[in-house]
Amino acid sequence: MQKLTLKKIAKELDVSISTVSKALRDSHEISKDTRDKIKAFAKLYNYKPNNIALSLKNRKTKTLGVIIPEIVHHFFTTVISGIEKVANERGYNVIIGLSNESFTKEVINMEMLANGSIDGFILSVSKETQLLKDYHHLTETIDQGMPIVMFDRAIKEIGCDKVIVDDVEGARKAVNKLVSLGCKNIGIITTKDYVSVGKLRTTGYLTALTESNLPLNENFILKLNDELNEEAHMDLLEQEIQLLLKNNPEIDGIFAVNEIYALSAMKEALKLGKSIPKDIKVIGFTDGVLSKYATPGLTSVSQHGKQIGEKAADLLIDRLENDHVEPPFQTVVIETELIERASTSEI
Amino acid sequence: MQKLTLKKIAKELDVSISTVSKALRDSHEISKDTRDKIKAFAKLYNYKPNNIALSLKNRKTKTLGVIIPEIVHHFFTTVISGIEKVANERGYNVIIGLSNESFTKEVINMEMLANGSIDGFILSVSKETQLLKDYHHLTETIDQGMPIVMFDRAIKEIGCDKVIVDDVEGARKAVNKLVSLGCKNIGIITTKDYVSVGKLRTTGYLTALTESNLPLNENFILKLNDELNEEAHMDLLEQEIQLLLKNNPEIDGIFAVNEIYALSAMKEALKLGKSIPKDIKVIGFTDGVLSKYATPGLTSVSQHGKQIGEKAADLLIDRLENDHVEPPFQTVVIETELIERASTSEI
DNA sequence: GAGGCTCACGAAAACGTTTTCGTGTTAATA
DNA sequence: TATTAACACGAAAACGTTTTCGTGAGCCTC
């Protein structure tokens, strides 16, 4: 049985299309008799208006486009769950595009969606885009009147709403926690500086140290290549961390900029006969499934991904429904929170 | 600058809309001169046809609807990544709906998308749907001529293409591995039977035991409540597992139907002073991030989520492009694979 | 009984495409 | 020179809605 349309109902009931449309929208232009008859018929055969036709007519699709670098990723999925939640509550759908950290795929995906399929974008740019600093696809879609909300990996130069994590502050909190627990020699395991969040978290680490009047020891800083957090390179990763711990046995606290670095640090510390948290305390960034189920449980900086998604969706929909793509733009900072577990417990 | 349309180009160049359309599609009905002029203009101002208008005209949206129970979930995201890959290669977009394991949300989401927004569904039903056994939303969309491909949690009674994991066989493989490594007393940590995959994996466990002529010891079977794998109930979960291991010290192998159960088992075994894999070997199901980064690394049954997604998308698009919603339907079984790590290594 | 009103409905345009079918002009043919 | 064919383009319909603007019929008023 094919989909019912206004035209078919009109034909069946021997009235005009306009009458059917009006009756279904309860226009009192139509007599109660006809209205009831049409509504009964529509209900009986389960008429639902065609979204595409509505989109074309209204020139809005009630759909948000979300572009992320990766989907097999705890943080991004929590963000999506937040986006989906408010989108659904406010009557919107969510269409997802993956850039796989590739600039080209990001551009193609956005172009594909920008031609009428969606009303606005929520996006976190790919690493390659950050590297190339080529933002023409962003400025062009904004110029065409399509609003964008960036999250997490936001770009200063682009004029649009943003929802970001205060990476510096989150790292500062974490390191401060270690300090307050008595750690005197705190190491950091981070990425090379071209990864923006890695750089920011390193900054937070440095800030916390100076604020606490702790000396900065360059040997305590391990900057790793970004590719090392794949399973295939796990042993290399572990070697590097082992070296850090072996060469600096006085280290009594570790701040790692992601879960994997933190877990590896715990593993290597244990291997070296150290006990956690007694001899060495560890804090990671991103409160994902690894932190929760690690042994011992890993204290970590939660970024509240769901909140980020919710806020981003709200910002975007607000802008769509007041349709002004003009400034002023907001930048919302979502507070991080330290989730404490066994890796930093007092005893 | 608003979006360019055929009409605007036509006006600007003082020709008719049809001429513009034809010129852009390289019709030789139009003289080379006019064609070139129009194409140059379109390129200059970056004309892209409006997808919504095309969708309405062609009565197809080139968009797949994906409905899953949860998105913060390793398995489902790998499936999505597979779907997205194929969809993109074949010129389709992906729109995502989350049921959150709720029957009602599943129905609403599907109805929202079924009215023209998408060409077909890829879905894994919610637990509640499995429980209620109410499939009217599925049969109705199929009756309306919209194809569905179900994956993982498929429903026998529904006539449509399916991509499934052979849970029984995967579990059998895992238990056989334990047997071949010399385990004599193999326990299982599974869910209550109403969770379909839990039940199937339990069946596989039982099959393997009988095939190996190992006695079935009811005490070795721990069936847990589904809600225990949230962080909040972790201690309860661990207590139950601890009891299993304490009461049955002869257990030398554990098969767990998910990663969390497996990790908890390893944790409790270590607490009891057992060594892994020497005293007790452990295998989990679903090869996610936890298995990879656990200490020791957890051997687990990989479901090849990405392949599942790829296959599902291919099946759906094939059906769409040959547009026949009629039988015969395929059920594709994606083989599982045992990923071996330290938790079952020989020494 | 003529004018004006209300009522209940239909025609048509619009959203942005594609495509079929004319149609007027020019050039080639008989 | 008259007929035809090829060429280059335009008008209009269609996809499924919503909405504006008519309009005919019946009624009331003076």
Side-chain angles (χ1 to χ4, degrees), chain B residues 38-49:
Chain B
I38 293 176
K39 283 164 82 173
F41 187 91
K43 182 154 204 172
L44 179 61
Y45 292 104
N46 193 30
Y47 168 79
K48 294 277 166 55

PDB file of all heavy atoms in Angstrom, chain B residues 38-49:
ATOM      1  N   ILE B  38      26.058  29.341 -19.550  1.00  0.00           N
ATOM      2  CA  ILE B  38      25.326  28.982 -18.333  1.00  0.00           C
ATOM      3  C   ILE B  38      26.222  28.238 -17.356  1.00  0.00           C
ATOM      4  O   ILE B  38      26.233  28.512 -16.153  1.00  0.00           O
ATOM      5  CB  ILE B  38      24.087  28.137 -18.687  1.00  0.00           C
ATOM      6  CG1 ILE B  38      23.081  28.997 -19.451  1.00  0.00           C
ATOM      7  CG2 ILE B  38      23.469  27.542 -17.441  1.00  0.00           C
ATOM      8  CD1 ILE B  38      21.870  28.243 -19.925  1.00  0.00           C
ATOM      9  N   LYS B  39      26.996  27.306 -17.891  1.00  0.00           N
ATOM     10  CA  LYS B  39      27.852  26.520 -17.009  1.00  0.00           C
ATOM     11  C   LYS B  39      28.910  27.391 -16.341  1.00  0.00           C
ATOM     12  O   LYS B  39      29.237  27.196 -15.159  1.00  0.00           O
ATOM     13  CB  LYS B  39      28.492  25.363 -17.787  1.00  0.00           C
ATOM     14  CG  LYS B  39      27.512  24.227 -18.008  1.00  0.00           C
ATOM     15  CD  LYS B  39      27.960  23.268 -19.084  1.00  0.00           C
ATOM     16  CE  LYS B  39      28.939  22.245 -18.585  1.00  0.00           C
ATOM     17  NZ  LYS B  39      29.223  21.224 -19.644  1.00  0.00           N
ATOM     18  N   ALA B  40      29.413  28.325 -17.093  1.00  0.00           N
ATOM     19  CA  ALA B  40      30.410  29.226 -16.524  1.00  0.00           C
ATOM     20  C   ALA B  40      29.803  30.030 -15.381  1.00  0.00           C
ATOM     21  O   ALA B  40      30.371  30.139 -14.297  1.00  0.00           O
ATOM     22  CB  ALA B  40      30.939  30.157 -17.606  1.00  0.00           C
ATOM     23  N   PHE B  41      28.630  30.543 -15.653  1.00  0.00           N
ATOM     24  CA  PHE B  41      27.943  31.335 -14.630  1.00  0.00           C
ATOM     25  C   PHE B  41      27.695  30.502 -13.375  1.00  0.00           C
ATOM     26  O   PHE B  41      27.956  30.928 -12.251  1.00  0.00           O
ATOM     27  CB  PHE B  41      26.623  31.853 -15.191  1.00  0.00           C
ATOM     28  CG  PHE B  41      25.907  32.808 -14.279  1.00  0.00           C
ATOM     29  CD1 PHE B  41      26.120  34.168 -14.378  1.00  0.00           C
ATOM     30  CD2 PHE B  41      25.018  32.335 -13.326  1.00  0.00           C
ATOM     31  CE1 PHE B  41      25.464  35.051 -13.536  1.00  0.00           C
ATOM     32  CE2 PHE B  41      24.358  33.204 -12.486  1.00  0.00           C
ATOM     33  CZ  PHE B  41      24.583  34.570 -12.590  1.00  0.00           C
ATOM     34  N   ALA B  42      27.194  29.291 -13.596  1.00  0.00           N
ATOM     35  CA  ALA B  42      26.869  28.414 -12.467  1.00  0.00           C
ATOM     36  C   ALA B  42      28.116  28.099 -11.656  1.00  0.00           C
ATOM     37  O   ALA B  42      28.103  28.103 -10.428  1.00  0.00           O
ATOM     38  CB  ALA B  42      26.230  27.137 -12.979  1.00  0.00           C
ATOM     39  N   LYS B  43      29.177  27.845 -12.357  1.00  0.00           N
ATOM     40  CA  LYS B  43      30.424  27.518 -11.664  1.00  0.00           C
ATOM     41  C   LYS B  43      30.927  28.725 -10.875  1.00  0.00           C
ATOM     42  O   LYS B  43      31.307  28.604  -9.709  1.00  0.00           O
ATOM     43  CB  LYS B  43      31.476  27.089 -12.695  1.00  0.00           C
ATOM     44  CG  LYS B  43      32.791  26.684 -12.060  1.00  0.00           C
ATOM     45  CD  LYS B  43      33.544  25.709 -12.956  1.00  0.00           C
ATOM     46  CE  LYS B  43      34.508  24.879 -12.151  1.00  0.00           C
ATOM     47  NZ  LYS B  43      35.108  23.801 -12.947  1.00  0.00           N
ATOM     48  N   LEU B  44      30.889  29.843 -11.536  1.00  0.00           N
ATOM     49  CA  LEU B  44      31.376  31.060 -10.902  1.00  0.00           C
ATOM     50  C   LEU B  44      30.670  31.326  -9.579  1.00  0.00           C
ATOM     51  O   LEU B  44      31.289  31.609  -8.562  1.00  0.00           O
ATOM     52  CB  LEU B  44      31.161  32.245 -11.856  1.00  0.00           C
ATOM     53  CG  LEU B  44      31.600  33.609 -11.317  1.00  0.00           C
ATOM     54  CD1 LEU B  44      33.086  33.598 -11.010  1.00  0.00           C
ATOM     55  CD2 LEU B  44      31.252  34.714 -12.308  1.00  0.00           C
ATOM     56  N   TYR B  45      29.356  31.183  -9.605  1.00  0.00           N
ATOM     57  CA  TYR B  45      28.600  31.470  -8.384  1.00  0.00           C
ATOM     58  C   TYR B  45      28.306  30.200  -7.584  1.00  0.00           C
ATOM     59  O   TYR B  45      27.452  30.191  -6.710  1.00  0.00           O
ATOM     60  CB  TYR B  45      27.334  32.240  -8.725  1.00  0.00           C
ATOM     61  CG  TYR B  45      27.636  33.626  -9.216  1.00  0.00           C
ATOM     62  CD1 TYR B  45      27.552  33.942 -10.572  1.00  0.00           C
ATOM     63  CD2 TYR B  45      28.059  34.607  -8.330  1.00  0.00           C
ATOM     64  CE1 TYR B  45      27.862  35.211 -11.029  1.00  0.00           C
ATOM     65  CE2 TYR B  45      28.373  35.878  -8.774  1.00  0.00           C
ATOM     66  CZ  TYR B  45      28.275  36.182 -10.125  1.00  0.00           C
ATOM     67  OH  TYR B  45      28.594  37.439 -10.568  1.00  0.00           O
ATOM     68  N   ASN B  46      28.993  29.133  -7.948  1.00  0.00           N
ATOM     69  CA  ASN B  46      28.953  27.909  -7.162  1.00  0.00           C
ATOM     70  C   ASN B  46      27.538  27.344  -6.984  1.00  0.00           C
ATOM     71  O   ASN B  46      27.096  27.055  -5.882  1.00  0.00           O
ATOM     72  CB  ASN B  46      29.583  28.170  -5.783  1.00  0.00           C
ATOM     73  CG  ASN B  46      29.854  26.887  -5.049  1.00  0.00           C
ATOM     74  OD1 ASN B  46      30.112  25.857  -5.676  1.00  0.00           O
ATOM     75  ND2 ASN B  46      29.762  26.927  -3.736  1.00  0.00           N
ATOM     76  N   TYR B  47      26.859  27.189  -8.098  1.00  0.00           N
ATOM     77  CA  TYR B  47      25.514  26.628  -8.027  1.00  0.00           C
ATOM     78  C   TYR B  47      25.554  25.145  -7.668  1.00  0.00           C
ATOM     79  O   TYR B  47      26.353  24.383  -8.207  1.00  0.00           O
ATOM     80  CB  TYR B  47      24.789  26.783  -9.374  1.00  0.00           C
ATOM     81  CG  TYR B  47      23.524  25.975  -9.431  1.00  0.00           C
ATOM     82  CD1 TYR B  47      22.372  26.428  -8.814  1.00  0.00           C
ATOM     83  CD2 TYR B  47      23.502  24.742 -10.085  1.00  0.00           C
ATOM     84  CE1 TYR B  47      21.223  25.667  -8.833  1.00  0.00           C
ATOM     85  CE2 TYR B  47      22.349  23.980 -10.111  1.00  0.00           C
ATOM     86  CZ  TYR B  47      21.211  24.449  -9.480  1.00  0.00           C
ATOM     87  OH  TYR B  47      20.078  23.692  -9.502  1.00  0.00           O
ATOM     88  N   LYS B  48      24.695  24.760  -6.734  1.00  0.00           N
ATOM     89  CA  LYS B  48      24.506  23.346  -6.400  1.00  0.00           C
ATOM     90  C   LYS B  48      23.015  23.104  -6.312  1.00  0.00           C
ATOM     91  O   LYS B  48      22.321  23.856  -5.629  1.00  0.00           O
ATOM     92  CB  LYS B  48      25.138  23.019  -5.033  1.00  0.00           C
ATOM     93  CG  LYS B  48      26.644  23.145  -4.978  1.00  0.00           C
ATOM     94  CD  LYS B  48      27.329  21.884  -5.503  1.00  0.00           C
ATOM     95  CE  LYS B  48      28.798  22.126  -5.773  1.00  0.00           C
ATOM     96  NZ  LYS B  48      29.508  22.662  -4.603  1.00  0.00           N
ATOM     97  N   PRO B  49      22.515  22.089  -6.989  1.00  0.00           N
ATOM     98  CA  PRO B  49      21.066  21.853  -6.952  1.00  0.00           C
ATOM     99  C   PRO B  49      20.580  21.566  -5.538  1.00  0.00           C
ATOM    100  O   PRO B  49      21.299  20.992  -4.729  1.00  0.00           O
ATOM    101  CB  PRO B  49      20.870  20.643  -7.865  1.00  0.00           C
ATOM    102  CG  PRO B  49      22.210  20.048  -8.054  1.00  0.00           C
ATOM    103  CD  PRO B  49      23.217  21.122  -7.823  1.00  0.00           C
TER     104      PRO B  49
END
